[in-house]
Amino acid sequence: MSYEDVPFESSLSTVRQLSSENRCIAAYDQLGLEGGCYPSRETVDEAARQVVAALEESGWVRRNLLRKDFGTWTVVMIRGNESLACAVEELSSSSEGQDQQLFREGYRSLVNLTLNRDVTQTGADTASP
């Protein structure tokens, strides 16, 4: 079995304190997107580090640096002809809607992943955050 045969969701099974439940199935389906959002009990910084490390162990390569803007970590990763956009945002008492409910359930961050297929790889940045 090659890395490309492993769904990105399987890569996340090694991430500590990350819920395996996709909390955004309906929204992603409505938008015609592949992916989902997974709440974590880790801080936003630790969740981002763990998710990227788990994806890299499954053969995903960073297309750009993992960076934090306005409290949200973002990175795009490439594997074969697929790209995976990853954003990890902090949950707080000022979060709204579903995010507020997740915060009340004890989650501290939310990992959003969106998969795109048939992407031409133009190069990857393998530097660490």
Side-chain angles (χ1 to χ4, degrees):
M1 177 186 287
S2 73
Y3 282 134
E4 292 179 26
D5 295 329
V6 178
F8 75 84
E9 296 94 344
S10 297
S11 305
L12 301 178
S13 65
T14 62
V15 179
R16 294 187 322 268
Q17 303 293 322
L18 184 70
S19 172
S20 60
E21 182 182 353
N22 181 348
R23 299 289 184 105
C24 301
I25 292 172
Y28 273 70
D29 284 347
Q30 186 177 13
L31 295 170
L33 299 172
E34 289 186 65
C37 60
Y38 305 86
S40 172
R41 296 192 189 281
E42 294 285 0
T43 64
V44 66
D45 296 346
E46 186 60 20
R49 187 192 67 71
Q50 288 182 23
V51 166
V52 169
L55 291 168
E56 286 177 328
E57 288 175 16
S58 295
W60 291 91
V61 179
R62 295 181 208 188
R63 182 176 182 185
N64 58 337
L65 290 175
L66 176 64
R67 58 180 285 158
K68 189 175 186 181
D69 291 311
F70 304 104
T72 299
W73 287 99
T74 58
V75 67
V76 174
M77 303 189 76
I78 302 288
R79 184 174 72 182
N81 64 343
E82 298 176 323
S83 73
L84 187 64
C86 176
V88 183
E89 62 185 278
E90 182 175 18
L91 298 174
S92 70
S93 59
S94 61
S95 296
E96 297 179 358
Q98 178 183 341
D99 291 356
Q100 176 60 244
Q101 178 60 37
L102 292 172
F103 177 76
R104 280 192 231 121
E105 292 175 24
Y107 293 103
R108 299 172 70 189
S109 55
L110 186 64
V111 177
N112 290 284
L113 299 165
T114 305
L115 181 68
N116 295 301
R117 298 186 187 276
D118 299 323
V119 174
T120 304
Q121 188 170 353
T122 59
D125 187 342
T126 58
S128 297

